[in-house]
Every structure is written in C-alpha cells, then in structure tokens.
Amino acid sequence: LRSYVEVLKFEDNLWGQNFYTQAASGLVNSYVHLFDNPKDGRAASEEPDYSSMTPAQRKKAKAIARKKKKQAEKVLAEKVLAESKSKEGDAGEKKGGKVEIDPDPNGESFLKLDPLVESKRYISTLVKNAPRALKTWVLSYDVSIRRGKKLMALQSLFRAKAIDPDDHEVFSRIVDFALKNSNATSEDKSPSGEVISSETKVLLGGLSLNEFVSTTAIKMKNDTLLDLPMRIALTKALIATKAPLEIDPGTIIVEGGLSARKASIGNCREALMCLQDLGESAVELKEAWVAKVRAKYPLATDFSANAKK
C-alpha cells in the first residue's frame, strides 16, 4: 500500500520533476532560438534564398544542398530497410507483413508551428507544476517579452528575483527589460505603462539603469566567489548600457574569471565572444584570455582569438 501511495504522489508531481523541467527548458530554448533566428527553422526540403548570393556563393550553396539531399535520402532508405528487417518474422506475419513508416522522419512538420505558441504551452505547465524552479520564470520572461506581454514579463522577473536575486540570468533579464522599456515607459501614460515604469524602478532598487549596472559591477568585481556566467552578464550589461565605470569592463572576465566557478570551456567561449564586443580596445585582454584558456584546456584546439560568432 505504501508503494502504491508513493507512485500516486510521484504521478501528482510528475510535471514538476527536475527531469521534466530540464526537458521542457530545452524545448522552450529551442523554440525561442527558432523565433529569434527564423532561418534556422527552414526545413531541409526548402530551398535557401539564392537571390542575395554571388554566383560563386550560389554555386557552392546549391552543391551543399544537393549533397544534403542525397545524404537525407540515403539515411531514410537505410532506416526504412532496417525497420522492415526488424519487423519480419512472427510480428511481421501477424500484421500481414506491413511496415509502418514515419511520414515525417526529420520532424519538418514541427518547424511549421508557431514557436511562441508552442512555448506558451510548456511555460503554462511549468508555472503550474514547478513554480519554485528559477528556470520556470526565466523562460516565462523570455517567451512573454517576445509575445509583447510586458506585464507578464515583469511578473516573471519579480518571481525569479525572489528565488535567486544574484543569478546571472535574472540580472541579465532585468537589464534587458529596463533597456527595452527605457523610452517606451516615459511616453506611455496608460495605467499599464505607469505600472511598468514604477515597478521597473523597484526591480532596479530605486536606481537608474546605469547606476544599477555600475553599482552591481563595483560590488561584485572583487568577489572571488563570483562565477564566470555572472562576470559575462556584467560585462554585457556594461557594454549595452555604456554605464560609466573606472575599470575596463573586460577585466571583470579576464582577472579571476578562469579560476571562478562554472569556468567550463563553453562559458569560456561565450566570454571570448563578449570580449570581442568590446572592439579594438580589448585586443590585449582578448589575447590574454585566449592564452589562459589554452593553458587550462590544452585539448581545446579550436579555441582562438579569431573565433567568429
């Protein structure tokens, strides 16, 4: 009886389990990426836009498209053959020898769906079943702000900040929200506009956006426990807001960033992209960062100062 009750409890909390939250987060992130980069959502069967290409680029693109088409046809043929062989025998005889073939093996039908509508479905499930998960509210903000639902995005930020006010994803989205509404809220005299304006100030602790970013950067620069993703978020915020600061924003990453927590090779690459946004003024910092990363990760042969976004 006890085991049965435990199974029922598990089923009641199924949509709030960590594994579901992680899977849903991956789906929503993919949909958000497709919304931001619609070209990446083009089905393999669709022809690329050749009109903006030079003759040489067009020739190369067509050759690549032909190669991909042949590879896709070969993979599909091999899959059908493997499925037909696996269903032969008794199982095949019982079903009259029929083989079920996936009509959409590449999932191209999913690319035709509205990314934000699909994302909203998963966000609703997470909000209902995993309200204590930080990722729920971070993703809720990402989807709401793209849908133009500013009040919902604002609510998501407050919920996320209540869970972890020092998280780098929360900080970067507060800055993003304040930047997007810095001009709009001053012109919007509607009740919702006034609420957004007043509550944005609460999010920023009563400071202006530049003061909020500068104060946070000064407070956290010498924090040895500050992880690399937060250092990247701070640097990006300083670049976006052009907040006045006595130190070079790039030093937040380079000085102590590699010995900080979460200094994975993926985060190190993101840090390099961030340093590239600083332009020519950060050439020495960028080279110093690449040298440090190569020393720590000698097998990362594709890590270079000339890496492209």
Side-chain angles (χ1 to χ4, degrees):
L1 182 60
R2 183 179 300 170
S3 299
Y4 177 68
V5 172
E6 289 178 354
V7 170
L8 292 179
K9 288 181 178 179
F10 173 78
E11 290 181 345
D12 289 341
N13 299 320
L14 184 62
W15 307 117
Q17 296 290 332
N18 287 335
F19 63 81
Y20 178 81
T21 303
Q22 293 173 2
S25 297
L27 281 167
V28 174
N29 283 329
S30 297
Y31 280 127
V32 168
H33 175 82
L34 289 175
F35 178 80
D36 293 340
N37 305 275
K39 290 184 179 180
D40 292 348
R42 187 176 60 235
S45 58
E46 293 182 17
E47 289 288 329
D49 183 13
Y50 297 119
S51 60
S52 59
M53 299 181 184
T54 63
Q57 291 174 332
R58 191 180 303 114
K59 183 179 179 181
K60 184 178 180 180
K62 287 184 177 181
I64 293 173
R66 285 195 298 270
K67 185 177 180 181
K68 286 184 177 180
K69 185 177 180 180
K70 287 182 179 179
Q71 289 177 342
E73 290 174 349
K74 183 180 178 182
V75 170
L76 180 59
E78 291 175 350
K79 184 177 179 181
V80 171
L81 181 61
E83 287 180 352
S84 63
K85 287 182 178 180
S86 66
K87 292 186 178 182
E88 288 178 355
D90 294 339
E93 290 174 2
K94 290 179 181 178
K95 295 181 180 180
K98 294 182 179 180
V99 179
E100 295 180 4
I101 300 176
D102 186 353
D104 186 23
N106 297 320
E108 293 186 3
S109 60
F110 290 99
L111 295 175
K112 299 176 183 179
L113 301 174
D114 187 329
L116 296 185
V117 172
E118 295 302 305
S119 297
K120 182 185 174 183
R121 291 173 50 230
Y122 292 102
I123 292 298
S124 298
T125 303
L126 290 175
V127 167
K128 180 180 179 181
N129 297 281
R132 297 182 181 179
L134 177 65
K135 201 67 180 176
T136 294
W137 301 109
V138 169
L139 293 173
S140 177
Y141 170 81
D142 290 343
V143 174
S144 298
I145 199 68
R146 286 167 174 79
R147 292 176 58 220
K149 306 295 184 180
K150 293 183 179 180
L151 288 174
M152 292 180 65
L154 183 63
Q155 181 188 38
S156 299
L157 288 179
F158 274 106
R159 295 295 296 268
K161 189 176 180 181
I163 295 172
D164 189 353
D166 297 326
D167 184 80
H168 70 280
E169 291 187 309
V170 177
F171 171 80
S172 62
R173 282 157 180 79
I174 289 175
V175 173
D176 177 69
F177 186 79
L179 277 171
K180 288 178 177 176
N181 292 283
S182 57
N183 295 326
T185 51
S186 60
E187 300 173 357
D188 189 357
K189 302 301 182 182
S190 65
S192 62
E194 292 177 359
V195 169
I196 291 172
S197 179
S198 61
E199 294 304 309
T200 300
K201 292 179 181 178
V202 175
L203 270 179
L204 299 176
L207 304 173
S208 67
L209 178 57
N210 284 359
E211 291 172 342
F212 173 74
V213 173
S214 299
T215 302
T216 306
I218 293 171
K219 180 177 69 174
M220 293 189 169
K221 181 183 181 296
N222 298 321
D223 184 1
T224 56
L225 298 177
L226 189 65
D227 58 42
L228 182 55
M230 185 61 188
R231 292 171 184 267
I232 296 170
L234 277 170
T235 305
K236 287 182 176 179
L238 288 168
I239 295 171
T241 61
K242 299 179 181 179
L245 198 63
E246 295 180 359
I247 60 172
D248 191 328
T251 59
I252 297 175
I253 292 175
V254 178
E255 295 179 3
L258 201 57
S259 59
R261 294 176 294 118
K262 301 180 182 179
S264 64
I265 188 64
N267 286 335
C268 288
R269 285 197 180 95
E270 187 178 351
L272 178 60
M273 298 299 105
C274 183
L275 290 172
Q276 288 181 343
D277 290 337
L278 292 170
E280 297 297 326
S281 61
V283 172
E284 293 183 2
L285 287 173
K286 184 172 65 175
E287 292 175 350
W289 179 249
V290 169
K292 288 182 179 182
V293 174
R294 282 181 172 175
K296 183 171 182 176
Y297 298 105
L299 298 180
T301 55
D302 60 337
F303 194 92
S304 66
N306 298 319
K308 296 182 179 180
K309 294 186 177 182

